[in-house]
Amino acid sequence: MVGDSSQTVKSYEEELALLDKSIAQMGGLAEHVLGLAFDALERRDPHLAEKVVETDRQIDALERGIEAKVVAMISRRQPSAGELRHILGAMRIASDLERIGDLGKNIAKRAHAIASQPHPKPLITGLRHMVELALSQLNDVLDAYAERDAERALAVWRDDEKLDAVYNSLFRELLTYMMEDPRNIGISTHLLFGAKNIERVGDHTTNIAETIQFLVSGEAISDDRPKSDDTSTTLITSQGAVNGSHT
Amino acid sequence: MVGDSSQTVKSYEEELALLDKSIAQMGGLAEHVLGLAFDALERRDPHLAEKVVETDRQIDALERGIEAKVVAMISRRQPSAGELRHILGAMRIASDLERIGDLGKNIAKRAHAIASQPHPKPLITGLRHMVELALSQLNDVLDAYAERDAERALAVWRDDEKLDAVYNSLFRELLTYMMEDPRNIGISTHLLFGAKNIERVGDHTTNIAETIQFLVSGEAISDDRPKSDDTSTTLITSQGAVNGSHT
């Protein structure tokens, strides 16, 4: 009976390891999609955009696989509270990674729309800065998960503010650019949504950080996220965007 | 032993009923938040916006309660595959409802930004139309869950196209309005993000429909969602937005 239960525990560890392997795979693909999506947008390359869509499909398939694993693991054996926390945490992280893949797809799709239009260089630079930040955050949080490093996860969680700050200033630049010349409105709108998508990638990354923190400590991070996207409260005058008033 | 297991099953049913009750509560609050958020935006009323933020906090608390219930239910007893599908489905639906609450909060926040600005009547009417559609969809999907009605869930899933269609035309109207006069850009940008948030409410509603379908039938809906938001591929000329080319 003891041998049996230790047997059970051992093969559980193996299954958890497999689960983590799928998470790492999804994470790698999510990073790949995000980088590729920006390249598609910057080069206005519809073929790259198609590649993004394909890769996003692989991410979706991996998530379905993880869910099937989770259901099988729970229903076959009685997981301990700790094991259950791990299993459900993996499922939650997979769903955040799946959404990051979708956001990458949304960004890439815009490559078709702006294929014909010239790029405002400084704005694209701002967007690249956002993508680089988002990618390094995502990379850190995936390492934090692999190492069950709550401290590192917490650092990622705190640093989301930086991404929000870049988004806020880019948001204002884009509005000002629109106001300078109506012909800039089309491209700026697409870049605005692109920037918003990257900002949301950051939110999912912080979700993952919160899951890791809970998974390691069993304690949730206090609710007040380091949210400083204030564009939703940014007042806009005919002269351009003026600083947002926090609520 | 038989009596014991039937005992277990019975109290499981009670726990599942409690879980459904929390879902229904969350759903009611999510509908409330969405309606309130639009009122806050239409009346540019910061106090209503504050109410939305408070209600969203209640939704978040309910989700945490559901997760705690789920973990307790699974770890205390060995759920059958069917029970597990129900428990995890409830958890998934709770997370979609939580995100709908967040989207409502994002919409309401914009009431502060546009408090000072006059509303373009036809555009607000378009936005109200979107909210009404999103609310009736959400209401239907919650009923479908309560009644475990896969057919009804599937109907909601199909009807998401209607919401996307309204969003697409509103998107084009807003861009054209921006191009008419740079002073319209500020308000239009906020309404654009508001409309996008409502469109995303529709996506979460279809996620819930998919969960119900899977929960009832054990079969997932085929992957091709009825997605017809083509604004990400909308080409824009200096004359205004022209119809999007699907990829």
Side-chain angles (χ1 to χ4, degrees):
Chain A
M1 198 45 211
V2 171
D4 191 40
S5 83
S6 72
Q7 167 66 29
T8 308
V9 171
K10 179 159 187 335
S11 88
Y12 231 125
E13 279 158 0
E14 284 161 4
E15 287 188 279
L16 290 179
L18 279 175
L19 209 55
D20 284 351
K21 204 169 155 242
S22 307
I23 294 283
Q25 252 182 305
M26 272 188 92
L29 285 177
E31 291 178 306
H32 182 59
V33 154
L34 196 56
L36 214 57
F38 176 76
D39 293 342
L41 196 65
E42 182 177 35
R43 304 185 202 158
R44 285 152 292 175
D45 179 340
H47 301 293
L48 271 184
E50 276 314 305
K51 262 183 119 165
V52 168
V53 173
E54 281 163 34
T55 315
D56 180 56
R57 278 200 207 97
Q58 298 173 36
I59 293 178
D60 294 349
L62 275 168
E63 190 200 13
R64 284 193 297 276
I66 285 172
E67 281 189 21
K69 273 197 195 79
V70 163
V71 170
M73 286 174 75
I74 298 178
S75 53
R76 256 211 320 282
R77 294 196 218 72
Q78 176 115 20
S80 72
E83 287 166 336
L84 195 60
R85 203 156 65 204
H86 187 127
I87 294 168
L88 295 180
M91 202 174 83
R92 174 174 281 274
I93 289 172
S95 120
D96 279 307
L97 290 174
E98 187 271 333
R99 286 167 195 274
I100 288 175
D102 284 345
L103 290 165
K105 192 174 62 181
N106 293 347
I107 293 167
K109 275 187 186 169
R110 302 188 182 276
H112 295 276
I114 64 175
S116 58
Q117 300 175 54
H119 264 351
K121 256 263 157 283
L123 298 178
I124 278 292
T125 309
L127 207 61
R128 179 192 286 106
H129 188 30
M130 277 192 81
V131 170
E132 284 164 352
L133 262 175
L135 276 174
S136 88
Q137 288 277 88
L138 182 54
N139 186 61
D140 279 359
V141 90
L142 290 167
D143 289 348
Y145 177 69
E147 299 154 13
R148 301 288 180 276
D149 185 340
E151 268 319 301
R152 189 162 180 186
L154 208 58
V156 169
W157 187 79
R158 288 199 202 89
D159 283 354
D160 187 49
E161 277 186 312
K162 295 180 188 164
L163 188 57
D164 287 337
V166 183
Y167 171 64
N168 293 338
S169 64
L170 186 57
F171 179 87
R172 296 188 175 79
E173 285 171 40
L174 281 165
L175 287 190
T176 310
Y177 185 67
M178 286 182 180
M179 289 167 184
E180 279 165 16
D181 181 346
R183 283 167 304 183
N184 297 336
I185 287 175
I187 181 100
S188 304
T189 305
H190 285 300
L191 295 181
L192 206 56
F193 275 115
K196 184 64 187 171
N197 285 336
I198 300 166
E199 186 264 340
R200 283 175 57 208
V201 167
D203 291 342
H204 288 294
T205 304
T206 56
N207 289 349
I208 295 173
E210 288 176 6
T211 302
I212 295 167
Q213 163 74 17
F214 179 74
L215 205 145
V216 173
S217 69
E219 306 260 313
I221 298 178
S222 84
D223 243 359
D224 354 322
R225 296 255 325 270
K227 206 80 205 81
S228 55
D229 163 12
D230 60 11
T231 59
S232 62
T233 57
T234 296
L235 302 165
I236 292 134
T237 70
S238 51
Q239 279 67 49
V242 299
N243 208 350
S245 63
H246 273 289
T247 52
Chain B
M1 200 47 212
V2 169
D4 190 39
S5 83
S6 72
Q7 166 67 29
T8 309
V9 169
K10 181 164 188 331
S11 87
Y12 231 126
E13 278 158 1
E14 284 161 6
E15 287 188 278
L16 291 179
L18 278 174
L19 210 54
D20 284 350
K21 205 170 153 242
S22 306
I23 294 282
Q25 256 182 301
M26 272 188 92
L29 285 176
E31 291 178 305
H32 183 58
V33 154
L34 196 56
L36 215 57
F38 177 76
D39 294 343
L41 196 66
E42 182 176 35
R43 303 186 202 158
R44 286 152 290 175
D45 181 340
H47 300 294
L48 271 185
E50 276 314 306
K51 262 182 119 167
V52 168
V53 174
E54 282 163 33
T55 315
D56 180 55
R57 277 199 207 95
Q58 297 173 37
I59 294 177
D60 294 348
L62 274 169
E63 190 199 13
R64 283 193 298 276
I66 285 171
E67 281 188 21
K69 274 199 195 76
V70 163
V71 170
M73 285 174 76
I74 298 177
S75 54
R76 256 210 320 281
R77 294 197 219 68
Q78 176 115 21
S80 71
E83 286 165 338
L84 195 58
R85 203 156 64 202
H86 187 128
I87 294 169
L88 295 180
M91 202 173 85
R92 174 173 281 274
I93 290 171
S95 119
D96 279 307
L97 291 173
E98 188 271 333
R99 287 169 194 273
I100 289 175
D102 284 345
L103 291 166
K105 192 172 64 182
N106 294 347
I107 294 167
K109 275 187 185 169
R110 301 188 182 277
H112 295 276
I114 64 176
S116 58
Q117 302 175 52
H119 264 349
K121 256 264 157 283
L123 298 178
I124 277 292
T125 308
L127 207 60
R128 179 192 286 107
H129 187 29
M130 277 191 81
V131 170
E132 284 164 353
L133 261 175
L135 276 174
S136 87
Q137 289 277 88
L138 182 54
N139 186 62
D140 279 359
V141 89
L142 290 167
D143 288 349
Y145 177 70
E147 299 154 13
R148 300 290 181 274
D149 184 340
E151 267 321 299
R152 191 162 178 185
L154 208 58
V156 169
W157 186 79
R158 287 199 203 90
D159 283 354
D160 187 49
E161 276 186 312
K162 294 181 189 165
L163 188 57
D164 287 336
V166 183
Y167 171 64
N168 293 339
S169 64
L170 186 58
F171 178 87
R172 295 185 176 81
E173 284 171 40
L174 280 164
L175 287 189
T176 310
Y177 185 68
M178 286 183 180
M179 290 167 183
E180 280 165 16
D181 182 347
R183 284 166 303 182
N184 298 337
I185 288 175
I187 181 99
S188 304
T189 305
H190 285 301
L191 296 181
L192 207 55
F193 275 116
K196 183 66 186 170
N197 285 335
I198 300 166
E199 186 264 340
R200 282 175 56 209
V201 167
D203 291 341
H204 288 294
T205 304
T206 55
N207 289 349
I208 295 173
E210 288 176 5
T211 302
I212 295 168
Q213 163 74 18
F214 179 72
L215 204 145
V216 173
S217 68
E219 304 262 312
I221 298 178
S222 84
D223 243 359
D224 353 321
R225 298 256 322 272
K227 206 82 206 77
S228 56
D229 163 13
D230 59 11
T231 59
S232 62
T233 56
T234 296
L235 302 164
I236 293 135
T237 70
S238 51
Q239 280 67 47
V242 300
N243 209 348
S245 64
H246 273 289
T247 51

